[in-house]
Amino acid sequence: MILETIEKENDIKNVAPEDWNLLAEEIREFLINKISVTGGHLGSNLGAVELTMALHLSLNLPQDKIVWDVGHQSYTHKLLTGRRSGFESLRKYGGMSGFPKRKESECDCFDTGHSSTSISAGLGLVKARDLRNEENTIISVIGDGSLTGGMAYEALNNASRLKKNFIIVLNDNNMSISENVGGMSKYLNNIRTADKYLDMKEGIYNSLMESKLGEPIVSSIRRAKSSVKQLVIPGMFFEDMGITYLGPVDGHNINAMMKVFREAKRCKSAVLVHVLTQKGKGFAPAEKHPARFHGAEPFDVETGLPLTPKTKSSYTDVFSTVMCKLGDRYKDIVAITAAMPDGTGLKRFRNLYPDRFFDVGIAEEHAVTFAAGLAAGGMCPVVAIYSSFLQRAYDQILHDVCIQNLHVIFAIDRAGLVGSDGETHQGIFDLSYLSSIPNMHIMAPKNKWELSDMLKFAIDFQGPIALRYPRGEAYDELREYREPIQFGKAEWIYHEKGIVLVAVGSMVKSALTVRESLAKKGFACSVINARFVKPVDTEILDEAAKDHRLIVTMEENVASGGFGEKVRAYLDKAYPEKKLLTIHIPDEYVEHGNVEILRREVGIDAATVEDRILELVR
Ligand SMILES: Cc1ncc(C[n+]2csc(CCOP(=O)(O)OP(=O)(O)O)c2C)c(N)n1
């Protein structure tokens, strides 16, 4: 195995050029086998094998630096920098991250996870290099999907003035997670086809040149082509901005890429190298279903099918179904996704109501202000964005939606701990950042029926309103607790005396477990489903304060700005003598790992909650 001879960065340079393709094959086999067990970002990594090899062959790491946009495609980079054994524990608690991490290796120069940051970060590294009179090469690798994000253009705009070398590799596989969308995608596609067209012309010239009359004809065509080239020449968009464009180059041909990288290194400006790759390359199921294999759960290598087929529906599935029903009933509902039609469950809505569905690309900020415009224009927008990605749109929520009190509905999926993607993807801040904004309202459903009821409630509501729900299986018990949603009202699930658990969304299920266990130990325990995080139902807190000696809040959000803080603020004033215990995630970043383990580690699992209660009541 050639792969086994690679123990650290730059070892790849000892591999004979005639063995490069063999090494690429070994890397693919390794990735398929490992990811089939651990799960992970398969398609993007399979597509970037030769690109990463060419970069490592052309650079001198760690002096030279590669900034990986999103970072989900960095597995080959990890393999080539001495982290082969890390794949045993990929994305597991305490194991190797699925994204670049500076703390993991000197060869990871910048942490990523969210999209479209690499050009800004790369430019920062370039400026630091030049100010410190250092000499090294800095390359940002960005995908065509990530190039739909606004930050990328802000950075290009800034980079265009550069008089020093900065290389941007555009890894264009013609896909985001799903099909890529928008004008830039169309433009890049035109470059692909223009290139084929020019190749075809080259063929025609060659045959003409073989005939006697060929030469004059060819020269006049060449003149015409040259002026046409001004119109269709690849990369004019970038060139016009002041960024040198090189390409397109075959992203599976190592020699061809190395040649272009050599040329790129000579440029005294920002230079964009356009590399064409195929997502999922070398694994038929991933080539055929690139969206499904973008982030794969463990799968069978032979068939590509998931090892544990889904039995229960997820909150995303429920949201998807309800949106389709509501779309039929209310003709003013429109749905917006930022490049995640599959992940958010909006694909079915798109198929049914294509005119009322908008995939805006990886552009959360734009998605929110676009929704504000739709609302101001009389439509009822539902913006479906994962909790961690919505962080980007804080100002748009505040400035464009909430100041004007516009009726925009935020469907916030992946709220709470998401697991193996780690720090960058945990949805543990949304209650804090949303509830700090005046006019915003926040709900969290306890189970799948409540998600449906809350979405309907949100449609009839006037003003900004968010519902946040977690990743994975939807809780499908407590069906009988289906009192109509009333604005700002919580619900009693069990009303006893002594201890009362006031739980938000996903924590209602844990509260029931805690209650059962406490009951066995002889402690009576009530459970309230908060339903609303903003506004907090103070009336139910008044009731609870009457016949309970300990009030416990439970939420899957950090402490600062969370539900517990709000309850404490109220109780401290109204009932200073009451004991309050707030269960929350500590104000820290939570790394990757299995959600059950993470819950234990951060102290929000049922057993820890029970222990903490017992400490107080015994
Ligand atoms: C701000 C933000 N929104 C959404 C995502 C989810 N996401 C991860 S990768 C990806 C698609 C990236 O496409 P591209 O850059 O072309 O890379 P590819 O996977 O095709 O190699 C998306 C939407 C994210 N990481 N960050």
Side-chain angles (χ1 to χ4, degrees), residues 82-101:
R83 284 174 272 177
R84 196 171 65 245
S85 62
F87 280 84
E88 300 302 323
S89 63
L90 178 68
R91 291 151 49 92
K92 294 201 181 114
Y93 186 66
M96 186 168 77
S97 165
F99 293 91
K101 292 277 174 220

Side-chain angles (χ1 to χ4, degrees), residues 73 108 119 132 206 237 241 253 378 413 443 495 616:
Q73 76 293 56
D108 292 1
I119 308 179
R132 290 157 59 102
N206 294 343
F237 171 85
M241 266 185 101
N253 181 334
D413 202 329
M443 301 182 284
H495 196 159
L616 288 173

